[in-house]
Each structure stands twice: as structure tokens, then as C-alpha cells.
Amino acid sequence: MGTSVLSLRMDRELLERLRRHAAKRGMSVQDYVVRTLIRDDFDERFQAAVEETEKFYGVT
């Protein structure tokens, strides 16, 4: 298995929220994000968030 790099640009408020969540678990932001992405329910939660966003913006 190879590796890839994912680069994200986010606003300061979101980064601070991620730092707080990671700190509560004694993790780095990077480890916290990766752990969140590999959760079993990530796909379902992500799809629900996309659907809510589409409803909000009237895309659907």
C-alpha cells in the first residue's frame, strides 16, 4: 500500500475546534482527523451532512 498527502485549507475557528477535540483525546490534529475518517460510520455521517447541506442551499 502506498501513501498520499492530503492538504487542507481551513479557517482558524475550525482548526481551533479540531485542536480542542484532539487535545481532549491526547492526540495531534492529524491523528484525530485520520481517526475520524476511518471510523466505520464515517460514510453514513458524511452522506447525511452532504444531504443537509444540499437541503440548506436548495440543491436537491
Side-chain angles (χ1 to χ4, degrees), residues 15-41:
L15 181 57
E16 287 305 316
R17 285 178 53 203
L18 286 171
R19 282 184 178 141
R20 286 193 302 271
H21 285 286
K24 286 179 187 177
R25 291 156 181 83
M27 304 170 79
S28 69
V29 172
Q30 292 86 350
D31 288 341
Y32 178 77
V33 170
V34 169
R35 181 174 171 248
T36 301
L37 291 172
I38 62 174
R39 283 181 51 172
D40 290 338
D41 65 343

Side-chain angles (χ1 to χ4, degrees), residues 41-52:
D41 65 343
F42 175 78
D43 290 336
E44 293 84 13
R45 294 173 64 209
F46 182 74
Q47 184 60 42
V50 168
E51 290 169 3
E52 287 297 315

